[in-house]
Amino acid sequence: MVSGNSASSSSLSMKSDEDIVNNNNNLRVLVVDDSPMIRKLHDMYLKKFGLKVQVAENGKQAVDLFHFGASFDLILMDKEMPIMDGEEATKELRTMGVTSMIVGVTSLDSPNEKQAFMEAGLDYFFTKPLTTDNISFILQELNKKNNKN
Amino acid sequence: MAGTTVSEQLKKYIQSMHDQGVLDYHFDHVKALQNEENPGFVMEVISMFSHDAEAAIANLTTLLNSPVVDFAKLISFVHQLKGSSSSIGGERMALACRQLRQACDNMDKESCLQIFERMKQEYNALRECLNVISQMERSIIVAQEQDPNVPSAF
């Protein structure tokens, strides 16, 4: 399930694994999820693509990181988390002026809940679990965005 | 060689779990993340999943046994279980979690109780499957430590 601006997995191009890793060496990713297992899985998926990964256990930790001056190219944001959920954290980050790509990753079923999460300021939304195809797509879009800036 | 035999057994076992619908392709994605730097990755994820699932099921049991059910809290734990079971490839368990979520949305305690029992059965089947996989993975790692020429499982 992919939602977002001009989301299309048909735009994937074939690259060697080494090319992909080399292209992504400077990209920093923040994984925000209260599940240690999900954080571990996403960390491994992303490192396979050569990305630098940091993790946060809830939305407040993610927001605090930005308050203290951290910056990330990509944020993978879970929805349901204690203390501050993903929707609230996304709104807060956008209010702060954060322009990182924010991708919602959640197992929500309700279309209304998904829409509300997207409207909080996500660039894309994926249903859990994230796959390597999803990550390839995200990185393609991220590289396009970075090339425009 | 013992390690090769266990590797082949592991592949066949995983395929049989696919055929029975206990596991789906997401488990294969998890397994594909295992490499020489993290030879115990699959075992680690299985352990994390089991720990989280046991805790969530215990919480669900307490909530469903309450005279007045807090459906909002129920939904929170069901959502957590759905996410973790689908992430590890527990197809049937994830489906049961989706059905349980629907019963929670309808605030139907009786349905919740019935579906919860079914979900626990699916969890037990999944846990047994994952335990077998963990044991085989451990055997392969031990065999490789004893003989580095033994091919890995990844």
Side-chain angles (χ1 to χ4, degrees):
Chain A
M1 159 76 67
V2 175
S3 301
N5 302 328
S6 306
S8 169
S9 59
S10 61
S11 59
L12 287 173
S13 59
M14 301 304 293
K15 285 189 172 183
S16 69
D17 287 350
E18 195 177 333
D19 284 341
I20 291 170
V21 169
N22 288 339
N23 285 344
N24 298 329
N25 272 346
N26 294 322
L27 294 177
R28 294 146 303 164
V29 185
L30 176 64
V31 172
V32 191
D33 201 301
D34 60 329
S35 164
M37 186 190 102
I38 301 296
R39 291 198 301 270
K40 179 92 184 168
L41 281 174
H42 287 170
D43 180 60
M44 284 294 281
Y45 276 129
L46 294 164
K47 281 181 176 162
K48 199 174 174 180
F49 284 83
L51 297 156
K52 293 180 177 56
V53 184
Q54 192 163 340
V55 298
E57 293 179 9
N58 57 61
K60 185 175 184 306
Q61 281 191 8
V63 169
D64 286 347
L65 280 169
F66 279 89
H67 269 306
F68 289 122
S71 68
F72 299 91
D73 300 285
L74 169 66
I75 302 169
L76 296 183
M77 184 77 79
D78 183 23
K79 166 74 166 61
E80 301 287 335
M81 292 181 287
I83 303 174
M84 184 186 285
D85 71 17
E87 192 176 316
E88 195 183 336
T90 302
K91 282 181 192 168
E92 182 69 23
L93 289 170
R94 293 307 190 203
T95 302
M96 288 165 62
V98 170
T99 57
S100 312
M101 180 178 284
I102 305 179
V103 175
V105 186
T106 174
S107 44
L108 285 175
D109 281 329
S110 159
N112 291 340
E113 287 175 320
K114 287 176 188 173
Q115 187 178 347
F117 198 10
M118 277 297 303
E119 287 173 358
L122 298 180
D123 292 285
Y124 299 102
F125 174 99
F126 285 90
T127 304
K128 268 182 193 172
L130 214 58
T131 65
T132 46
D133 281 350
N134 296 153
I135 296 171
S136 290
F137 171 80
I138 292 167
L139 291 177
Q140 274 212 324
E141 297 304 307
L142 188 56
N143 283 323
K144 278 185 207 172
K145 180 187 169 192
N146 288 344
N147 287 339
K148 275 184 194 172
N149 296 337
Chain B
M1 289 178 173
T4 304
T5 303
V6 177
S7 289
E8 287 302 312
Q9 286 175 358
L10 177 58
K11 281 180 190 169
K12 284 180 184 171
Y13 183 76
I14 291 171
Q15 184 57 51
S16 74
M17 291 298 107
H18 276 296
D19 295 341
Q20 290 177 47
V22 176
L23 292 178
D24 65 22
Y25 65 95
H26 291 298
F27 180 78
D28 301 330
H29 288 170
V30 172
K31 185 128 170 63
L33 291 171
Q34 185 160 277
N35 54 29
E36 280 148 7
E37 290 173 8
N38 293 283
F41 178 71
V42 170
M43 287 193 299
E44 192 179 346
V45 171
I46 288 172
S47 175
M48 292 171 102
F49 166 73
S50 298
H51 178 266
D52 289 353
E54 302 275 344
I57 288 171
N59 283 314
L60 285 169
T61 301
T62 301
L63 287 167
L64 281 168
N65 285 338
S66 306
V68 179
V69 175
D70 185 337
F71 284 101
K73 278 189 182 168
L74 261 185
I75 286 170
S76 174
F77 288 115
V78 172
H79 179 85
Q80 179 192 325
L81 265 179
K82 183 161 70 98
S84 57
S85 59
S86 50
S87 293
I88 204 163
E91 184 178 4
R92 292 204 316 237
M93 183 179 166
L95 176 60
C97 288
R98 275 196 288 277
Q99 292 165 345
L100 182 53
R101 169 66 200 260
Q102 281 166 6
C104 291
D105 285 342
N106 296 335
M107 299 174 80
D108 183 344
K109 183 175 179 180
E110 282 310 307
S111 284
C112 284
L113 285 166
Q114 284 172 15
I115 299 169
F116 182 53
E117 286 307 310
R118 187 153 33 89
M119 193 220 72
K120 282 193 290 184
Q121 287 169 8
E122 296 299 350
Y123 168 67
N124 287 337
L126 178 61
R127 184 186 57 190
E128 188 180 323
C129 156
L130 294 175
N131 282 346
V132 169
I133 290 171
S134 263
Q135 284 165 19
M136 287 190 185
E137 292 277 356
R138 193 171 294 114
S139 298
I140 292 168
I141 289 173
V142 168
Q144 284 178 327
E145 284 170 355
Q146 291 169 350
D147 180 1
N149 292 323
V150 166
S152 59
F154 42 78

